[in-house]
Amino acid sequence: MPRIQTLDSWRAYRNYRFLWTANFFGNTAQWLQLLTLGWLVKHLSEGGSNSALLVVGVGGTAALPGILIGPWGGVIGDRIDRRKLMICIEIFMALLALSFAWLVRMDLVEVWHAFAYAFLAGSCESIKMPVRQALIANTVHSDSLSNAYATNVLTIPGTRMIGPFVGGIIVASLGFFWNFTIEAMLYLGVAAALIPMKTPFKQAKFDPAPGIIGFFADMVDGFKYLWKKQRVLALMIGLSSAPNIVCHPVLFLLPMFTAVVLQQGPDFGGYFMAVNGAGGLAMVFLLSAFGFPKKRGMACLIAALASAVLTLALSQSIWMPLAFIVLAFFGATQTMFRTTNGVLTQILTADEYRVRVTSVYRIVMGMVIFFSLAIGWFADSTSPRWALAAMGLFGIIISLIFLMGSKRIREQE
């Protein structure tokens, strides 16, 4: 048996422990927000002819700012102190979540408020997500980067279990106000964890050009670096459209699938999100404990294809125990792709380009809004089951194209 390595980086680097704790709080808040907004919009649009479109759309709206703000956030993250940038954003998000909580408490909230909140929160997320990933490389030695990245990913499926599980119960019993209040407290927890953290493996410095023209020049330089010097990462970004655009709306459509197909409430919606997180947690534990496959590119291809197949399988899972099983494996394959792809990105990218390259993934994730709206419309016109089936088939086609057509990805170590 190989030695279990899961906590090697966590034990070895004090500053990494601060970052890990901050990411745990931040990811818990994000999953809690996704669950709560979906059920809030469903509650506000109950009985409407476009309820599924609105429920799916609010989840996609949170990803939309990645298209517009993501590239700018990448330049900012490479220009200024990443830790201070994160602290400022988290404090702003805490105030935003608390304000929205009181809007709900006073019974003044409307559907458009939920969409506006999702857009503002997504704008902050499109900046801080690439920065959080880049900070891993600034808190551990390069030899520990793979292990540290995988251990950090434990905070994503782990919090997907905790946040929605508890949040679903709170919504069903106490209402929406407390979920948004807890979300605000979690953002403050992120800021508190980052204040004592240092970055001994500091981000590389570069000489930015002044003014707005300089921002554009730095942004273009990042795209040139990705296309000319790290072409395999550009291809991986294309492959990521299958799990990140086509299959990711499974989580947005889950409230409608739970309510319409399985005829259950938000508590079961939380259970489904939790079991999805459990599958991801099991996968990332295996990766952090025993290491990554030798052919990481092939692992990404297989994971993307498996996610699409499981999306198709979920459309046929009208028996509840089967739905739980499919969602658990779906979480595992999604986590396999994102973790392996993320490690490749951090290892292959020079530090002065780290946030800019990672932010390109936010552009891809931003595209999910357009696909989500189409899926929401299709679900309203037919049923959530047919929408899931269409998503699965489309994801299978994209994954097979890259599996058969990209030798560079297949051979990537």
Side-chain angles (χ1 to χ4, degrees):
M1 284 286 293
R3 184 179 67 84
I4 295 178
Q5 310 164 35
T6 302
L7 296 178
D8 283 7
S9 299
W10 201 90
R11 287 194 298 260
Y13 299 96
R14 177 176 181 268
N15 293 301
Y16 174 71
R17 291 196 293 273
F18 285 126
L19 178 63
W20 191 94
T21 303
N23 288 341
F24 180 86
F25 288 146
N27 287 323
T28 303
Q30 187 178 6
W31 291 116
L32 184 63
Q33 177 196 108
L34 178 63
L35 172 92
T36 311
L37 280 177
W39 283 98
L40 176 63
V41 170
K42 183 184 178 301
H43 169 73
L44 294 173
S45 62
E46 195 76 54
S49 60
N50 60 347
S51 182
L53 175 63
L54 293 172
V55 170
V56 176
V58 75
T61 299
L64 177 61
I67 301 175
L68 304 173
I69 298 174
W72 293 96
V75 176
I76 294 171
D78 282 333
R79 279 184 168 220
I80 67 176
D81 187 289
R82 293 165 181 167
R83 182 186 69 91
K84 292 179 180 178
L85 176 62
M86 280 285 296
I87 292 172
C88 292
I89 291 176
E90 297 296 343
I91 292 174
F92 172 78
M93 290 191 70
L95 295 173
L96 179 65
L98 195 58
S99 300
F100 190 74
W102 279 100
L103 192 67
V104 173
R105 183 63 176 266
M106 293 184 291
D107 202 25
L108 298 174
V109 68
E110 298 179 12
V111 170
W112 75 268
H113 293 132
F115 274 81
Y117 178 72
F119 184 84
L120 289 173
S123 299
C124 295
E125 188 66 29
S126 67
I127 298 174
K128 71 176 187 176
M129 188 279 285
V131 175
R132 285 194 308 190
Q133 294 188 18
L135 279 171
I136 299 172
N138 300 147
T139 54
V140 302
H141 191 273
S142 58
D143 293 341
S144 302
L145 183 54
S146 293
N147 176 261
Y149 191 93
T151 302
N152 178 73
V153 176
L154 282 170
T155 65
I156 300 176
T159 56
R160 192 157 72 241
M161 292 174 58
I162 299 170
F165 180 83
V166 176
I169 295 173
I170 294 175
V171 167
S173 57
L174 300 177
F176 298 102
F177 167 77
W178 286 106
N179 272 15
F180 291 113
T181 302
I182 294 170
E183 182 186 341
M185 297 302 104
L186 288 167
Y187 292 137
L188 290 178
V190 176
L194 291 175
I195 288 172
M197 188 189 81
K198 301 184 184 303
T199 53
F201 305 92
K202 287 190 175 181
Q203 64 193 74
K205 301 293 184 181
F206 70 100
D207 296 323
I212 297 297
I213 300 300
F215 262 82
F216 273 109
D218 290 339
M219 188 187 304
V220 171
D221 185 41
F223 284 112
K224 286 182 178 178
Y225 170 82
L226 184 63
W227 185 250
K228 293 182 178 180
K229 296 186 178 180
Q230 294 295 349
R231 182 69 62 84
V232 68
L233 291 181
L235 293 172
M236 290 293 295
I237 290 170
L239 172 64
S240 73
S241 62
N244 290 341
I245 295 179
V246 177
C247 296
H248 186 67
V250 165
L251 302 181
F252 306 157
L253 195 59
L254 204 52
M256 296 304 299
F257 180 80
T258 304
V260 175
V261 178
L262 301 178
Q263 298 184 349
Q264 299 294 332
D267 49 348
F268 271 84
Y271 303 152
F272 281 131
M273 289 281 281
V275 79
N276 178 258
L281 184 64
M283 175 57 70
V284 77
F285 177 78
L286 291 174
L287 294 174
S288 63
F290 304 115
F292 289 84
K294 184 178 180 182
K295 294 286 187 180
R296 295 178 180 175
M298 180 58 76
C300 288
L301 287 163
I302 293 173
L305 179 60
S307 290
V309 171
L310 288 164
T311 301
L312 179 61
L314 182 62
S315 70
Q316 306 304 309
S317 303
I318 58 175
W319 184 47
M320 192 172 299
L322 180 59
F324 274 110
I325 294 171
V326 171
L327 282 168
F329 279 100
F330 178 79
T333 56
Q334 289 278 89
T335 300
M336 177 68 176
F337 178 86
R338 290 170 181 166
T339 306
T340 308
N341 186 31
V343 167
L344 280 174
T345 301
Q346 297 302 317
I347 289 176
L348 296 176
T349 305
D351 192 58
E352 62 265 32
Y353 291 97
R354 200 178 297 278
V355 182
R356 278 173 286 176
V357 169
T358 309
S359 69
V360 177
Y361 286 95
R362 295 306 301 178
I363 300 176
V364 175
M365 286 297 295
M367 299 294 180
V368 78
I369 178 61
F370 305 111
F371 190 75
S372 296
L373 291 174
I375 287 297
W377 169 83
F378 190 63
D380 276 325
S381 302
T382 55
S383 74
R385 291 185 65 193
W386 280 106
L388 287 169
M391 291 160 60
L393 289 172
F394 193 28
I396 289 171
I397 292 171
I398 294 174
S399 301
L400 288 176
I401 289 174
F402 279 94
L403 179 62
M404 295 184 294
S406 181
K407 181 179 178 181
R408 189 173 298 192
I409 293 180
R410 292 197 305 268
E411 295 181 349
Q412 180 63 48
E413 298 288 341

